[in-house]
Amino acid sequence: MAWKELFSTDVGILSLLTIGFVLVIGTYMYRFAKSHIAEDEKHSHG
């Protein structure tokens, strides 16, 4: 099945790493932006 190919071939492993990398970077950027937006709102309403 596709799962076996995903975990056993070079291309499958690279795909998993790429997907994982994108998810990690996306989560980091989302949290980074969210915290900075909250800080900006604190400073601008002062």
Side-chain angles (χ1 to χ4, degrees):
M1 223 184 110
W3 287 109
K4 191 180 172 216
E5 208 171 290
L6 197 62
F7 289 105
S8 61
T9 63
D10 288 345
V11 176
I13 290 165
L14 274 175
S15 298
L16 281 175
L17 288 173
T18 304
I19 292 165
F21 182 75
V22 167
L23 288 175
V24 168
I25 294 296
T27 303
Y28 176 78
M29 286 176 69
Y30 172 75
R31 290 176 64 194
F32 182 82
K34 217 172 121 176
S35 68
H36 277 265
I37 289 165
E39 289 239 341
D40 288 346
E41 283 177 355
K42 261 191 244 169
H43 291 299
S44 65
H45 294 304

